[in-house]
């Protein structure tokens, strides 16, 4: 670290503290959104508990699906959208990124713990779907289940966020909605202490939807929908 870098960091700390409210809260308290681009370049099939203290073991991080037409792996698509989402949110939210590169080794529990430590208000998880049936299309919005002791405390708020985000993303993209659904089996949800929505942005196993999801204009629509959804959620609070 250069001296310059050190000084700018020091100055930042100074300014932040100087503008802090007397109760210790930052004057500028934007909601914290933790963005997770699903998967990574190399799957890690070693096992980890699928919830804190659980004996059920699941792969640390799966490889994800691949575009049937674009041949693009899911981890690349999810990061493309994640980086756009970061840009779109950064003025109105404090954004934390689980990853910015493909060459990481982060298990699903580690991703959840990262967002817990960031004290995120919402974790937005980006994925794309795959199916044996090439005709299947549409977006699914998952939230942590109410019927699971691990995810129960974060379920209600997650569902509220998921519903409002789903509404806006579908409105912006015109995609078919496959619904807003609870999940109690995902390691990435079970380790969370903060609310979350996981967006399956479409099916990479459908030629048309695969191509569409890689189009920058379509990605912008997904991102605009997520932003509008979060804005609407925080406006209603
Ligand atoms: Zn995925």
């Amino acid at each position: 670290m250069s001296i310059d870098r050190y000084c700018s960091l020091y100055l930042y700390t100074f300014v932040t503290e100087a503008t802090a409210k007397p109760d210790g809260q930052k004057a500028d308290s934007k909601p914290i959104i933790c963005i997770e681009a699903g998967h990574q370049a190399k799957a890690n099939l070693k096992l980890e508990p699928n919830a804190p203290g659980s004996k059920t073991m699941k792969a640390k991080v799966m490889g994800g699906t691949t575009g049937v037409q674009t041949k693009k792996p899911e981890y690349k698509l999810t990061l493309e959208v994640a980086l756009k989402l970061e840009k779109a949110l950064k003025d109105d939210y404090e954004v934390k990124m689980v990853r910015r590169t493909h060459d990481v080794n982060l298990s699903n529990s580690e991703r959840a713990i990262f967002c817990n430590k960031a004290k995120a208000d919402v974790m937005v998880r980006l994925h794309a779907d795959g199916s044996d049936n090439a005709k299947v299309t549409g977006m699914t919005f998952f939230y942590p289940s109410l019927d699971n002791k691990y995810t129960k405390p974060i379920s209600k708020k997650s569902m509220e966020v998921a519903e409002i985000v789903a509404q806006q993303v579908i409105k912006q993209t015109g995609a078919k909605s496959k619904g807003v659904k609870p999940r109690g089996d995902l390691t990435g949800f079970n380790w969370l202490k903060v609310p979350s929505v996981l967006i399956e942005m479409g099916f990479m196993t459908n030629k048309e939807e695969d191509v569409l999801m890689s189009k920058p204009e379509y990605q912008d629509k997904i991102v605009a929908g997520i932003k509008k959804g979060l804005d609407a959620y925080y406006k209603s609070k």
Side-chain angles (χ1 to χ4, degrees):
M1 188 186 287
S2 74
I3 294 293
D4 278 357
R5 179 85 177 123
Y6 177 80
C7 287
S8 67
L9 276 177
Y10 178 78
L11 184 65
Y12 175 74
T13 310
F14 177 74
V15 170
T16 308
E17 281 176 4
T19 54
K21 282 181 183 170
D23 62 1
Q25 275 200 325
K26 272 191 250 165
D28 171 27
S29 62
K30 296 174 180 174
I32 302 167
I33 307 297
C34 195
I35 301 173
E36 186 218 359
H39 309 280
Q40 59 195 27
K42 272 190 198 153
N44 184 345
L45 301 180
K46 284 184 190 154
L47 301 177
E48 65 177 358
N50 88 325
S54 169
K55 287 196 172 68
T56 306
M57 303 296 278
K58 281 177 84 173
K60 287 191 167 194
V61 59
M62 301 289 285
T65 184
T66 303
V68 69
Q69 185 72 18
T70 60
K71 309 295 174 208
K72 185 184 284 182
E74 183 183 344
Y75 69 83
K76 284 192 177 170
L77 177 71
T78 61
L79 189 61
E80 283 171 9
V81 179
L83 292 172
K84 284 189 173 216
L85 183 60
E86 178 189 24
K87 250 189 187 171
L89 295 183
K90 72 176 185 340
D91 288 342
D92 297 333
Y93 299 89
E94 194 180 328
V95 180
K96 305 283 182 186
M97 299 292 282
V98 169
R99 69 175 177 97
R100 293 174 177 283
T101 61
H102 301 311
D103 189 24
V104 295
N105 189 8
L106 292 167
S107 75
N108 285 315
S109 72
E110 286 167 343
R111 290 163 188 246
I113 291 165
F114 172 86
C115 296
N116 292 342
K117 284 188 177 156
K119 298 191 167 31
D121 289 283
V122 176
M123 178 187 187
V124 177
R125 308 182 63 195
L126 299 168
H127 282 259
D129 235 331
S131 169
D132 293 337
N133 182 349
K135 287 184 186 159
V136 178
T137 61
M139 289 194 187
T140 315
F141 301 82
F142 290 112
Y143 64 91
S145 170
L146 192 63
D147 301 327
N148 172 329
K149 67 176 175 179
Y150 303 107
T151 50
K152 195 175 180 179
I154 56 167
S155 181
K156 188 172 173 281
K157 187 174 170 188
S158 298
M159 187 188 72
E160 287 171 15
V161 176
E163 276 178 351
I164 201 159
V165 165
Q167 214 173 37
Q168 292 300 324
V169 172
I170 295 301
K171 194 172 161 190
Q172 292 297 315
T173 56
K176 184 174 98 185
S177 176
K178 290 175 70 71
V180 180
K181 299 174 181 175
R183 289 287 289 265
D185 60 325
L186 299 179
T187 307
F189 278 166
N190 289 346
W191 283 83
L192 272 180
K193 304 277 179 241
V194 301
S196 180
V197 53
L198 186 158
I199 306 173
E200 294 281 6
M201 301 181 285
F203 281 80
M204 296 188 93
T205 41
N206 176 270
K207 264 189 191 179
E208 288 76 29
E209 210 161 56
D210 172 35
V211 171
L212 193 60
M213 282 190 287
S214 268
K215 287 193 172 154
E217 316 85 70
Y218 189 75
Q219 294 179 350
D220 289 342
K221 289 179 184 174
I222 297 174
V223 164
I226 298 171
K227 166 87 165 49
K228 280 177 191 288
L230 291 171
D231 289 351
Y233 177 77
Y234 282 104
K235 218 173 147 185
S236 72
K237 290 292 128 187

